[in-house]
Amino acid sequence: MSSKQTFINIDRVSKHFGDVVAVDDVSIDISAGEFFSLLGPSGCGKTTLLRMLAGFESPTSGEIHIDGKAMSEIPPHQRPTNMVFQNYAIFPHLNVAGNIAYGLRKDKLGKVEQTRRVDEALEMMKLEGYGQRKANELSGGQQQRVALARALIKRPKVLLLDEPLGALDKKLREEMQLELRALQESVGITFIFVTHDQEEALTLSDRVAVMARGDVLQMAAPRQLYNRPVNVEVASFIGQMNFFDAQVVDVQGEKVVLDTQGLGQVKVASNGDLLQKDNRLVVALRPEKLSLSLQREVQDHVVRGELATSAYLGDRSHFFVSLDGYDKPVEVAGQESGLSSDRALERGSEVWLSWAEDSLVLLPAP
Amino acid sequence: MNEPVTAAQSSIEKTRPVSSWRSRIRAFYHSSEAFKGYTLLSPTMLVMLFSMCVPFAMMVVMSFWSQVGYEFDTDFTLANYSKVTEGAVYTQLLIRSLWISAACTFATVIISYPMAYYVAFHVHRRKMIWIILMTLPFWTSYLLRIFTWKVILGFNGVINSGLIGLGLIDEPLEFLLYNPNAVVLTLTHAWAAFAILPIYVSLEKIDRSLLEAATDLGDGPVARFMRVTLPLSLPGVIAATVLIFVPTVGDYVTPALVGGPDGLMLANLIQAHFGIINNWPGGSALAIMMMAIVGIIAMAYIALTRFAVRNIE
Amino acid sequence: MKDVSYINRPNRPLFVYAVLFLAFLYVPVLFLPLFSFNDSIYIAFPIENWTLQWYRDMFDNEPMIAALMNSIRVGAVASVLSTFLGVFGAKAVTRYRMPGRDPIVTVIMAPLVIPGIILGVALLILINRVGITPSLYTITLGHVLVCVPFSMATLMTRFEGFDKSMEEASADLGENAWWTFWRVTFPMVFPGLLASVLLCFTISFDEFILAFFLGGTDPTLPLYIWGQLRFPQRLPNVLALGACILVISFIVVFISQWLTHREPDSTRS
């Protein structure tokens, strides 16, 4: 992201609640117009970080700069950020129009201009005709649109979203994901999005920071995060992953030979510091990067196994295959290449798993 | 009935047995739950209904009678009511009662609000202890709490003897006790604990993210309070107002102990009708008038505040 | 305090106000116990000599002890009766959907707001017309009337915080309604029952207005005190008695309130 200028600079920020360290020495740079997600399990510090950006919590140490200005002395109501709250925080004593116009008080717009702006916002959010409704007469999705309109009408430089889709059901959530992304592209401001749903983070974001225990584990674009996780924790948090303990047994010029539990001996290209002789490491392989067949069709990168169980999912199937020397069944996803789709494979059938060399991910041993 | 309707009508009649059969089952299901509820509730409900409605009905009946010595003349008469409406003394006492009670209600709510606010928003540990501390005095002897103000404000009371002892005054201050202000002060002290609870509950119910949202949308602390916290806590304020105004209008112990002749209220007169004046029908009429007026004021107040709140937005 | 979020930041002026408010509530009441140790029968600062004489006198004061016993009797019966009625009411209101629930609750809660004098006068007329002589029984009836709303309110919080599925689980595990009540419902609402009994006892024990109208020749303690207030020379006795009542009331109500609000403190993140 060196091509774009840093717009938000989180500089070695920590937050302690008593003895609990919620955010531990985190540094993140975010550029203008970026859709940035903070992803992690509950309690990982992502919401605390977001609330520090909004100003509701102050960092125990470190500093946050937005648009070149230090934020520590600036109270939340004077920051160039607006927030969409997890439960939307729609004011129950105001109607929809009143909620949306709430932040315009200080702009002293005059009635006509204010009404125009509110109508504009209602239109943008597809809420025409809902202006006079009360908050408790709205559905979850509508409440979320009101919360978005209310925040965006302030024309903030940064929009903070605290798990805004968490309360919606699955179908509505997928719809709103698309809308949210389109919205961000049309208003062109920075979105910072907190979520515990990895799929949501990957779908929406330009970049994702994966957090755990107050730390940022990895910060990368979704594609890279998925294909090249930096450690076992990130790899297991994002999508499904099979892990195999491994040890470097031989270095043969450009190739390195690994002895793995389950996959047997595999050769990989020798790059990176991990591949010193006798080094222990973990080899990771996504279920969809494995292909399953009934005959041995290739010579290299293939291993024999026994089908333990399978799950039919309609558009695809998941197979769980036991390998010699490996205690957990390996998960394989994908079309059943060369298999009849009408007949299920029997348990205990002999199967062959193969993979492409570059789909192996090498991770440090935990 | 004209001909064309009959087709539609007959179709309605055809479907009717089915729908009524269904609705009857549904009604039975609901009524059986309601039935269980009523059965369980009936002892309490009957005792309360009997011991309130019957006496009130009797009081209403008696207000149309007249007193003859220690007996009652049960002939219907409106004399008690016409006497009440004509007598300037009654009007004066009524206005004073309403006035004292309104002042006390206002003072109580004003001083209780910040306290309730403090506990709701700024106490994070041991909230329960604070709530108990705030409400504890309300449950203890009403009589003694009033009496303590007589001790404090009296001619030889705590304040006067204290000030004389300090050499600040030579003569005891006489304006402390036996006037309407003493009644307002005493009532405010007696009811403050009661006002806190409804206000506290309404503040505690406010979702904190609403306050954060107001801040996030540009409101400083004062604007946030006026635009979000206060409107959302109004139900509690209204409840507190009614809970204090209605009973204090009818208080007679406080004026009797600390009010003096200028601090007497309507309730003192009602009490006297059942005591030394010995005119129960007259007292009943007074009591009913007082209830009616207080009820009307309370309802008008609730309606007005609701209306005002709706129009602010 | 950086630990606290922006909204909950400490507010010193409000804290000072809160302390002043509590002082306003408590300091006036403390003058009664203070002057009960005063040697003089006149209330005046500074207190010259301290004495326990007024407390010693109480033990020989037969009318007072009789009044005390009356109050205890009335309070015990009224508190148990109103808690009994309160349990039925609270359980019905919190457990069953029924039409007309709200108006019924309003009627039951009405004594909270009806001025004491109105209730007193109305009940006086009732017992007079029915031909009952005013006595401790009629006082008890009046006290039940004012205690039931408080009992209901106390118990309703208890029943609302009580998951209905607990009773269903018990039924599912094979207990009948009777044993379900004794093994599940009762242990869970017991603190509420105790709180209600204690609170109602205090209310009855301290109640004056209804007792004033409904009382006969046997006075309760507040009636006795009211009678004593006419005699200035009896003031120290009243102060000593009042001090005792205040201390005991405070303790009893504190226990009752503690039982009612005993939920663990909710701390927000």
Side-chain angles (χ1 to χ4, degrees):
Chain A
M1 292 291 141
S2 54
S3 61
K4 288 187 190 169
Q5 229 181 332
T6 298
F7 185 70
I8 299 170
N9 166 243
I10 299 169
D11 185 18
R12 306 204 56 184
V13 164
S14 295
K15 176 68 185 177
H16 301 221
F17 292 106
D19 296 335
V20 182
V21 181
V23 174
D24 189 11
D25 198 15
V26 165
S27 297
I28 301 175
D29 285 344
I30 299 167
S31 44
E34 202 176 354
F35 199 123
F36 190 90
S37 290
L38 296 167
L39 172 66
S42 65
C44 72
K46 56 190 193 301
T47 296
T48 308
L49 192 58
L50 193 79
R51 288 170 58 80
M52 285 195 279
L53 285 165
F56 298 130
E57 312 285 353
S58 10
T60 310
S61 66
E63 180 62 281
I64 293 171
H65 292 265
I66 298 178
D67 203 7
K69 252 192 250 154
M71 287 289 125
S72 57
E73 296 303 315
I74 299 182
H77 58 279
Q78 287 161 5
R79 295 195 181 197
T81 58
N82 283 117
M83 186 143 160
V84 175
F85 289 81
Q86 188 168 14
N87 59 358
Y88 314 133
I90 306 293
F91 299 118
H93 60 300
L94 301 176
N95 59 23
V96 168
N99 264 284
I100 293 177
Y102 190 92
L104 297 178
R105 179 182 63 98
K106 279 198 188 142
D107 299 351
K108 301 212 165 59
L109 288 176
K111 242 194 162 127
V112 181
E113 172 64 8
Q114 178 163 325
T115 314
R116 198 188 61 75
R117 293 263 295 266
V118 170
D119 286 345
E120 211 177 86
L122 285 170
E123 200 188 316
M124 180 171 74
M125 287 295 144
K126 298 178 200 151
L127 286 167
E128 296 103 324
Y130 282 92
Q132 301 311 310
R133 297 273 188 107
K134 284 261 176 181
N136 55 13
E137 299 165 354
L138 299 178
S139 70
Q142 288 166 337
Q143 288 191 28
Q144 208 226 10
R145 288 164 203 267
V146 174
L148 271 168
R150 185 177 72 176
L152 286 173
I153 205 169
K154 294 269 294 168
R155 300 182 180 159
K157 294 173 178 166
V158 182
L159 187 71
L160 308 170
L161 302 107
D162 185 6
E163 306 223 14
L165 307 178
L168 306 179
D169 59 53
K170 192 169 185 298
K171 197 162 176 308
L172 193 55
R173 195 160 63 216
E174 281 164 6
E175 256 174 61
M176 284 306 295
Q177 283 177 11
L178 294 177
E179 277 187 40
L180 212 53
R181 184 71 228 211
L183 184 71
Q184 194 259 343
E185 273 158 20
S186 73
V187 296
I189 59 170
T190 312
F191 275 35
I192 299 183
F193 187 90
V194 159
T195 181
H196 64 267
D197 182 335
Q198 43 101 8
E199 214 175 294
E200 200 168 278
L202 297 185
T203 314
L204 287 169
S205 323
D206 294 321
R207 276 197 306 156
V208 179
V210 182
M211 294 185 71
R213 298 173 302 275
D215 251 332
V216 173
L217 302 177
Q218 184 174 8
M219 192 159 36
R223 202 167 285 276
Q224 182 170 12
L225 209 56
Y226 189 80
N227 292 325
R228 296 286 158 218
V230 295
N231 60 33
V232 172
E233 196 170 1
V234 174
S236 55
F237 192 68
I238 311 260
Q240 295 298 315
M241 190 68 109
N242 298 304
F243 297 103
F244 307 92
D245 289 333
Q247 189 169 19
V248 180
V249 288
D250 197 10
V251 181
Q252 305 171 341
E254 304 223 315
K255 293 279 176 187
V256 176
V257 180
L258 301 176
D259 187 19
T260 66
Q261 243 172 29
L263 300 180
Q265 291 220 335
V266 296
K267 275 186 196 167
V268 295
S270 75
N271 54 350
D273 319 331
L274 285 172
L275 303 176
Q276 307 295 322
K277 180 128 169 56
D278 296 334
N279 226 353
R280 295 197 160 276
L281 61 148
V282 172
V283 172
L285 200 48
R286 295 271 176 210
E288 73 275 12
K289 302 275 162 105
L290 279 165
S291 58
L292 179 141
S293 53
L294 294 175
Q295 274 93 39
R296 181 172 185 153
E297 288 166 348
V298 287
Q299 287 310 304
D300 281 338
H301 306 300
V302 67
V303 68
R304 199 195 76 90
E306 235 172 52
L307 186 70
T309 176
S310 65
Y312 178 63
L313 301 173
D315 56 342
R316 67 209 139 92
S317 293
H318 277 218
F319 304 97
F320 295 87
V321 177
S322 317
L323 301 178
D324 283 339
Y326 189 65
D327 46 359
K328 237 174 76 183
V330 172
E331 189 178 354
V332 184
Q335 285 75 34
E336 313 175 12
S337 67
L339 306 175
S340 153
S341 57
D342 294 334
R343 249 191 43 229
L345 273 177
E346 269 180 48
R347 254 182 224 187
S349 312
E350 184 188 68
V351 292
W352 294 87
L353 301 180
S354 58
W355 61 91
E357 187 191 317
D358 62 355
S359 58
L360 292 179
V361 182
L362 307 180
L363 304 170
Chain B
M1 276 295 153
N2 292 327
E3 279 302 304
V5 189
T6 46
Q9 206 185 354
S10 67
S11 84
I12 288 172
E13 273 168 0
K14 250 181 235 164
T15 56
R16 198 189 234 161
V18 180
S19 73
S20 82
W21 177 73
R22 272 191 193 149
S23 71
R24 221 176 269 171
I25 286 189
R26 205 173 298 146
F28 176 70
Y29 170 74
H30 278 295
S31 70
S32 77
E33 187 182 331
F35 181 73
K36 275 190 231 160
Y38 284 130
T39 316
L40 204 54
L41 190 57
S42 54
T44 317
M45 198 167 63
L46 287 179
V47 168
M48 296 306 278
L49 277 178
F50 175 78
S51 46
M52 285 202 299
C53 296
V54 176
F56 276 110
M58 283 183 166
M59 187 162 77
V60 173
V61 171
M62 182 173 272
S63 70
F64 296 109
W65 293 354
S66 42
Q67 183 95 26
V68 183
Y70 285 98
E71 296 299 318
F72 301 111
D73 176 358
T74 55
D75 290 340
F76 180 86
T77 171
L78 285 171
N80 295 318
Y81 287 97
S82 56
K83 206 168 102 190
V84 168
T85 45
E86 281 158 20
V89 185
Y90 302 114
T91 325
Q92 197 198 342
L93 277 180
L94 176 68
I95 290 172
R96 189 195 286 155
S97 299
L98 295 175
W99 180 240
I100 285 178
S101 183
C104 149
T105 307
F106 182 74
T108 310
V109 171
I110 291 286
I111 68 164
S112 300
Y113 196 98
M115 184 71 210
Y117 185 92
Y118 176 76
V119 178
F121 290 111
H122 294 287
V123 175
H124 307 295
R125 254 160 259 212
R126 304 189 182 282
K127 252 183 199 209
M128 179 201 77
I129 296 286
W130 276 88
I131 296 166
I132 294 177
L133 268 182
M134 288 186 309
T135 48
L136 198 52
F138 180 77
W139 306 111
T140 57
S141 177
Y142 189 55
L143 192 59
L144 288 173
R145 274 181 293 145
I146 297 165
F147 176 64
T148 192
W149 283 99
K150 194 173 170 150
V151 168
I152 293 169
L153 301 174
F155 191 75
N156 291 315
V158 172
I159 292 182
N160 276 330
S161 66
L163 289 178
I164 291 174
L166 290 171
L168 291 173
I169 52 171
D170 300 324
E171 296 275 302
L173 304 170
E174 289 192 35
F175 61 83
L176 294 176
L177 196 59
Y178 300 131
N179 58 49
N181 294 333
V183 179
V184 172
L185 176 65
T186 307
L187 283 176
T188 304
H189 177 253
W191 290 88
F194 203 48
I196 284 182
L197 268 184
I199 299 175
Y200 168 78
V201 169
S202 70
L203 285 169
E204 186 65 37
K205 262 199 253 165
I206 299 175
D207 188 339
R208 297 313 188 255
S209 66
L210 293 176
L211 305 183
E212 292 185 339
T215 307
D216 187 64
L217 294 167
D219 275 353
V222 176
R224 181 183 75 210
F225 176 78
M226 298 306 292
R227 298 179 74 199
V228 178
T229 316
L230 187 59
L232 288 177
S233 64
L234 268 186
V237 172
I238 293 171
T241 313
V242 173
L243 278 177
I244 292 166
F245 179 75
V246 178
T248 48
V249 172
D251 194 58
Y252 77 95
V253 183
T254 310
L257 277 177
V258 301
D262 293 337
L264 284 183
M265 291 163 70
L266 191 60
N268 298 90
L269 192 63
I270 297 176
Q271 188 256 315
H273 272 82
F274 289 87
I276 48 170
I277 297 175
N278 191 31
N279 179 359
W280 288 27
S284 302
L286 268 178
I288 288 161
M289 295 281 284
M290 188 174 87
M291 279 292 281
I293 289 167
V294 172
I296 290 167
I297 291 176
M299 277 183 230
Y301 167 78
I302 293 172
L304 262 179
T305 38
R306 289 236 174 107
F307 178 75
V309 167
R310 205 169 297 151
N311 275 32
I312 289 167
E313 272 105 55
Chain C
M1 282 279 282
K2 281 190 164 177
D3 276 11
V4 181
S5 81
Y6 179 79
I7 298 294
N8 292 331
R9 265 184 207 184
N11 184 326
R12 188 152 293 270
L14 260 185
F15 173 73
V16 172
Y17 180 87
V19 171
L20 288 177
F21 182 92
L22 286 183
F24 169 68
L25 276 191
Y26 283 89
V27 170
V29 179
L30 293 180
F31 282 113
L32 294 187
L34 180 68
F35 282 101
S36 68
F37 297 107
N38 184 6
D39 194 18
S40 157
I41 67 161
Y42 298 107
I43 288 177
F45 272 128
I47 294 172
E48 308 269 333
N49 294 304
W50 303 88
T51 178
L52 284 174
Q53 186 201 338
W54 316 118
Y55 287 91
R56 248 177 271 127
D57 286 356
M58 285 201 302
F59 294 101
D60 308 326
N61 189 338
E62 272 170 31
M64 191 215 85
I65 288 172
L68 173 71
M69 295 317 291
N70 289 340
S71 273
I72 290 176
R73 253 179 273 159
V74 170
V77 176
S79 59
V80 171
L81 262 181
S82 35
T83 301
F84 186 73
L85 292 174
V87 173
F88 283 107
K91 170 138 182 169
V93 164
T94 49
R95 273 288 179 278
Y96 298 100
R97 267 179 310 151
M98 37 188 167
R101 199 196 94 142
D102 290 350
I104 293 170
V105 174
T106 311
V107 169
I108 294 177
M109 292 293 172
L112 276 180
V113 268
I114 297 177
I117 186 165
I118 305 277
L119 276 181
V121 165
L123 286 171
L124 176 63
I125 292 172
L126 172 78
I127 60 169
N128 175 278
R129 296 320 293 163
V130 176
I132 303 170
T133 330
S135 65
L136 292 179
Y137 292 105
T138 50
I139 295 179
T140 311
L141 169 75
H143 285 182
V144 168
L145 198 58
V146 287
C147 284
V148 165
F150 288 107
S151 168
M152 279 269 285
T154 306
L155 289 163
M156 271 162 74
T157 47
R158 199 78 211 172
F159 276 110
E160 269 159 14
F162 172 115
D163 194 347
K164 192 182 176 182
S165 59
M166 304 273 184
E167 284 172 347
E168 289 168 351
S170 164
D172 182 64
L173 294 170
E175 282 299 15
N176 61 24
W178 172 253
W179 281 106
T180 293
F181 178 79
W182 282 111
R183 292 185 63 190
V184 178
T185 318
F186 182 76
M188 291 185 81
V189 297
F190 179 72
L193 290 179
L194 194 59
S196 164
V197 168
L198 291 176
L199 188 66
C200 293
F201 182 83
T202 332
I203 292 169
S204 162
F205 192 79
D206 289 333
E207 206 286 330
F208 170 72
I209 295 177
L210 287 180
F212 180 83
F213 283 103
L214 303 177
T217 45
D218 285 338
T220 59
L221 207 51
L223 289 177
Y224 171 80
I225 294 174
W226 176 255
Q228 299 297 298
L229 292 181
R230 274 178 295 168
F231 310 110
Q233 72 274 20
R234 308 292 280 278
L235 187 65
N237 305 74
V238 173
L239 290 176
L241 177 58
C244 294
I245 294 175
L246 282 178
V247 169
I248 293 168
S249 300
F250 272 144
I251 294 170
V252 173
V253 177
F254 188 88
I255 295 172
S256 152
Q257 295 290 295
W258 185 74
L259 287 169
T260 313
H261 298 280
R262 202 167 43 142
E263 276 83 37
D265 253 5
S266 59
T267 38
R268 278 156 222 283
S269 58

